[in-house]
Amino acid sequence: LNQPRLRSQGFREQPSSPAQKAEIEAKYPDAVFAVVIASSLFNHNRELSEITQKAYFSILNGENIASVRFAYDKATDEYWKRHMWDD
């Protein structure tokens, strides 16, 4: 990977400003979702970790990312409804 060449073409390791980050998130929402899932695979909570790992492997298996995101959001919403008052 030629890092200087990539930088000269406008690619950076991280967005240089919050505005640039928001622009990237708006332009590539599926990619941002995939990165968030990949970086959250090993949550301290077993149930949340299983939900995230299911989404991750669904993405790897080529499932439609909108469907994966819908299922992930539904599962996490159900989790939080069940455990809202846990200590």
Side-chain angles (χ1 to χ4, degrees):
L1 199 59
N2 188 338
Q3 298 257 344
R5 188 178 66 124
L6 289 174
R7 287 191 190 118
S8 71
Q9 294 174 357
F11 292 98
R12 289 183 172 68
E13 292 171 11
Q14 291 189 3
S16 60
S17 69
Q20 186 182 28
K21 181 180 178 189
E23 180 183 335
I24 291 169
E25 289 173 349
K27 192 171 182 179
Y28 305 105
D30 292 345
V32 171
F33 174 70
V35 169
V36 167
I37 292 298
S39 65
S40 306
L41 280 174
F42 302 103
N43 191 299
H44 67 279
N45 178 288
R46 180 180 175 179
E47 191 173 351
L48 285 175
S49 185
E50 289 172 355
I51 292 167
T52 304
Q53 288 179 21
K54 182 177 180 183
Y56 178 77
F57 287 111
S58 295
I59 292 168
L60 288 182
N61 288 329
E63 292 184 32
N64 179 299
I65 203 147
S67 299
V68 174
R69 186 177 207 152
F70 179 82
Y72 173 81
D73 289 343
K74 183 178 177 191
T76 55
D77 286 348
E78 290 171 358
Y79 169 84
W80 288 115
K81 285 177 185 174
R82 283 192 313 274
H83 297 287
M84 187 181 302
W85 300 106
D86 292 358
D87 285 338

